[in-house]
Amino acid sequence: MLKGKNIVVGVTGGIAAFKAASLVSGLVKLGANVDVIMTEHAAEFVSPLTFRSLAKTAVITDMFAEPAKMDIAHVSLAQKADIFVIAPATANIIGKIACGIADDMLSTTVMATKAPVLIVPAMNTNMYENPVVRDNIAKLNKLGYLFMEPGEGLLACGSSGKGRMPEPEDIIERIEREIGVEKDLSGLNILVTAGPTREAIDPVRYISNGSSGKMGYALAEAASKRGARVTLVSGPVSLHPPAGVNTVNVVSAEDMRGAVLANSAGCDIIIMAAAVGDFRPEKTEDEKIKKSSDFSQIRLVKNPDILAELGEKKAENQTIVGFCMETEDLITRAAEKLRRKNADMIVANNLKTPGAGFGVDTNVVTLIYSGGRESENLSGSKLWLADEILTRAAGLRNTDR
Ligand code: CTP
């Protein structure tokens, strides 16, 4: 997937700089063209010769050195890069990028690139948690810079906590997800819903559920990376909106219905991954209900079933995917929902299965199809499952249903 891709690896001055050598070696083995830019401090930890031997290209440490070919090195690397990876990234380089400082080869090239920049922080826990560093990361995140979370464990400084550089294999997997992806969904319009809904009881209380939105966000992110035009209608979650996705934030089931119906016309695939609240209080009180009031008087009414409504007015060649969460009788109930809501596929999971459901990064699902197609069991990370679900949903468009 990375064969022929141009990857620039920026190495900054931290003890984890030695791990960047395995990263470069792994990328070269996968057929990528790797250029390495080291900061002056990185060269104190690992010799440029190590990277030169692994990458088989000149390693750039000095902005004013004579370039091998007559072009302006920082501009040429910035232009040809498919992705820029800074690993390890110190608090210093993160701060420089966040503040627009370009005073060496690495910071200058990062500033000149339009390629995605993946920053892999590695530093002492206190530094990583320093509010200035957190602010810089938040600012860069918002601007579209990509980050990997450092791991936890014993750090080189002797303390233990968050700050370890992720393993080179994990960084390579992330790079593959960012740029090694085939644009096989380009031309498709995909709508995804995610997260819970909140049904207000009064200005401070609401009825909701434990959906984290991770599955829906993974679907939106994967679809966008594979070239689809994606709208994500999201209930309240604490996740960053995926890059390149049109994210519409909603709160209640009725808001979600409005946003879905407003964005569903012309959609080729609709995936209802949201955990939509089935009920809402008949009346939302304008003022906070006092403890002394009788709470048993809150009457609930049914929310609209968005998936069923979409199923009713399904356009020709539109593929509709629903989710089904149960704690018992999973397959029978999922099959019943598939029929009742006129969906083409239901992704069913049992909340009681370890590694499945809300909050966790993995899922264990059964895919149930309309038209008598045999169901399938899948389990893995939500990111992996997202790709599998998308591949199957797109595949259904090309087969008789
Ligand atoms: N769904 C929806 N609107 C609702 C409730 C659910 O669009 N008001 C969608 C969900 O997004 C999901 C699917 O319907 O894709 C199934 O959701 P689930 O909660 O499992 O089923 P329900 O229809 O709520 O049925 P029940 O509560 O009886 O299990």
Side-chain angles (χ1 to χ4, degrees), residues 92-374:
N92 186 47
I93 188 73
I94 293 170
K96 279 205 230 177
I97 302 171
C99 297
I101 296 171
D103 65 348
D104 62 7
M105 188 65 193
L106 180 57
S107 49
T108 311
T109 316
V110 171
M111 194 175 276
T113 196
K114 289 204 163 146
V117 178
L118 173 63
I119 299 177
V120 189
M123 64 193 80
N124 159 277
T125 311
N126 290 345
M127 288 175 82
Y128 187 66
E129 285 170 0
N130 185 304
V132 176
V133 175
R134 304 307 316 152
D135 263 10
N136 287 337
I137 291 178
K139 177 178 174 186
L140 291 173
N141 237 321
K142 225 165 149 188
L143 292 171
Y145 287 80
L146 308 165
F147 279 86
M148 281 185 82
E149 280 276 300
E152 285 192 38
L154 187 65
L155 304 176
C157 56
S159 63
S160 80
K162 202 168 194 173
R164 281 168 70 97
M165 184 166 115
E167 294 310 312
E169 311 81 83
D170 297 331
I171 303 174
I172 291 174
E173 194 196 304
R174 175 68 186 267
I175 296 170
E176 282 175 336
R177 270 200 282 117
E178 295 301 335
I179 60 161
V181 179
E182 208 190 315
K183 304 285 180 202
D184 61 335
L185 302 181
S186 61
L188 292 182
N189 290 311
I190 300 186
L191 175 69
V192 181
T193 64
T197 62
R198 276 183 193 168
E199 314 301 327
I201 297 171
D202 68 15
V204 293
R205 303 183 182 91
Y206 52 79
I207 302 170
S208 191
N209 59 64
S211 168
S212 62
K214 284 183 178 174
M215 191 68 240
Y217 274 59
L219 282 158
E221 189 182 333
S224 169
K225 291 218 170 98
R226 288 167 65 172
R229 265 186 305 277
V230 184
T231 299
L232 171 65
V233 177
S234 172
V237 296
S238 53
L239 300 170
H240 285 292
V245 167
N246 169 32
T247 304
V248 182
N249 291 309
V250 297
V251 178
S252 67
E254 286 193 312
D255 296 344
M256 185 169 277
R257 174 180 176 270
V260 166
L261 295 183
N263 287 283
S264 59
C267 274
D268 302 293
I269 299 175
I270 301 176
I271 307 181
M272 287 290 304
V276 186
D278 288 324
F279 302 98
R280 67 177 185 279
E282 186 174 39
K283 180 172 184 302
T284 303
E285 297 298 331
D286 291 334
E287 308 301 334
K288 184 183 166 201
I289 304 171
K290 301 309 290 175
K291 196 162 52 208
S292 51
S293 316
D294 182 2
F295 272 88
S296 65
Q297 295 308 309
I298 298 171
R299 255 182 63 81
L300 298 178
V301 293
K302 256 197 185 156
N303 270 331
D305 190 320
I306 309 168
L307 179 59
E309 198 170 336
L310 290 169
E312 246 171 59
K313 52 172 91 155
K314 184 160 64 175
E316 181 138 1
N317 211 21
Q318 188 171 59
T319 300
I320 298 183
V321 179
F323 272 67
C324 170
M325 287 203 157
E326 299 289 348
T327 51
E328 53 186 359
D329 256 349
L330 179 69
I331 305 301
T332 319
R333 291 185 181 180
E336 187 275 318
K337 276 177 204 176
L338 178 83
R339 271 192 308 278
R340 181 163 48 86
K341 303 194 187 203
N342 193 25
D344 301 291
M345 177 168 121
I346 291 275
V347 182
N349 63 7
N350 186 334
L351 277 178
K352 288 185 175 165
T353 307
F358 289 158
V360 291
D361 291 324
T362 54
N363 215 343
V364 182
V365 302
T366 303
L367 304 183
I368 299 177
Y369 300 95
S370 62
R373 192 175 149 151
E374 206 171 311

Side-chain angles (χ1 to χ4, degrees), residues 1-5 7 22-34 168-169 171-173 175-176:
M1 283 199 281
L2 296 181
K3 198 166 179 349
K5 297 281 183 192
I7 301 177
S22 309
L23 171 65
V24 169
S25 152
L27 292 170
V28 170
K29 278 189 194 136
L30 291 171
N33 307 315
V34 184
E169 311 81 83
I171 303 174
I172 291 174
E173 194 196 304
I175 296 170
E176 282 175 336

